[in-house]
Amino acid sequence: MTSDMDHPWDEDALCAVCPGQVHDPGRFDIVDGPGPASRYDTTAGYRRDLVSGVPVCIHPDKIGFPAGRYASAGQLWPAEVEPAPHPGPMPDDPDALAGWMTALVRHADADAVAGVLAAAEQSAVQRFSPDLVVDALRAALAEV
């Protein structure tokens, strides 16, 4: 999976359902393997902590960072990594729309993705053709 975002891990080494595929460092927890405290959430496409709802990666060895409660308890990320910058305003270039929507999804908190995409869609349909907007939404939703 390619991205406009720079993550401190190799996305190709991650599980297809790892929250690291769609979230920035510090926006999910990492635990040592699957367990009863988290379950796969079919609507989100990754595991979530049963109590907090925070996305959970279960393979510290694949993501390359130690287990930690980075999102749920505010534990500091072990590397000096800045969160990705906000994607900024909607592009004028139609070829950049899908990348912009995808970046919005990756930057958003897990619970805000639907609202972020709805707002992006409302703005985009005023500037771009409906077919282009639908294609951009599909690309962004593939990240969720």
Side-chain angles (χ1 to χ4, degrees):
M1 179 177 297
T2 59
S3 155
D4 294 336
M5 311 286 288
D6 290 322
H7 286 132
W9 51 77
D10 177 6
E11 290 180 16
D12 292 332
L14 302 180
C15 296
V17 297
C18 180
Q21 295 280 11
V22 295
H23 293 292
D24 291 335
R27 295 201 180 252
F28 58 94
D29 289 347
I30 301 173
V31 298
D32 287 315
S38 67
R39 295 270 162 94
Y40 180 75
D41 180 345
T42 57
T43 59
Y46 44 74
R47 283 183 168 268
R48 286 187 185 266
D49 183 275
L50 293 176
V51 175
S52 68
V54 168
V56 176
C57 168
I58 61 168
H59 296 115
D61 57 319
K62 289 184 179 185
I63 200 159
F65 289 91
R69 298 291 178 181
Y70 305 110
S72 63
Q75 184 177 341
L76 294 178
W77 193 256
E80 300 277 330
V81 176
E82 291 291 318
H86 190 277
M90 183 174 37
D92 293 323
D93 180 2
D95 292 335
L97 185 62
W100 176 73
M101 284 191 181
T102 299
L104 287 175
V105 166
R106 287 183 166 215
H107 193 270
D109 287 331
D111 295 335
V113 170
V116 166
L117 278 178
E121 177 185 15
Q122 287 177 342
S123 297
V125 296
Q126 295 178 23
R127 188 179 299 171
F128 300 106
S129 72
D131 289 344
L132 182 66
V133 174
V134 168
D135 288 345
L137 286 168
R138 284 182 179 140
L141 286 169
E143 299 295 315
V144 177

